[in-house]
Amino acid sequence: VVALSKGVEPDELLTIDESAPLLKLSPKSVYKLIDEGKLPVVRMSARRLRIRRSSLVSWLERQEIAPRKRSFR
């Protein structure tokens, strides 16, 4: 997550194609997250979507889960 926000403008608007490699996803998978309402976007026009870098970082942080405790018998 640090690599996404280090030395860049936090409210920079990214295209889907720019966002996909940062998430290590295909553009199609990013569109699916958007369609499911899971990833926030800025609608520039009917066909142009942008993702705020700060929203991308926040979304990624919310996806983190605590490691599960493993019981060893």
Side-chain angles (χ1 to χ4, degrees):
V1 174
V2 174
L4 292 178
S5 59
K6 188 175 182 179
V8 296
E9 182 64 36
D11 282 333
E12 175 184 9
L13 294 174
L14 304 171
T15 64
I16 304 304
D17 288 340
E18 292 169 335
S19 300
L22 297 174
L23 295 170
K24 305 235 188 291
L25 296 172
S26 68
K28 184 176 179 176
S29 294
V30 175
Y31 280 113
K32 183 176 178 189
L33 289 170
I34 293 166
D35 288 342
E36 292 171 351
K38 295 179 179 178
L39 189 60
V41 295
V42 176
R43 188 169 298 275
M44 306 296 284
S45 68
R47 296 187 57 167
R48 289 181 29 192
L49 302 174
R50 298 292 184 264
I51 301 172
R52 278 194 210 304
R53 186 177 290 269
S54 58
S55 295
L56 194 63
V57 171
S58 295
W59 182 83
L60 277 172
E61 289 171 346
R62 289 192 308 273
Q63 303 315 302
E64 291 182 16
I65 57 171
R68 294 174 61 188
K69 285 188 176 181
R70 297 180 72 179
S71 59
F72 295 98
R73 298 180 188 179

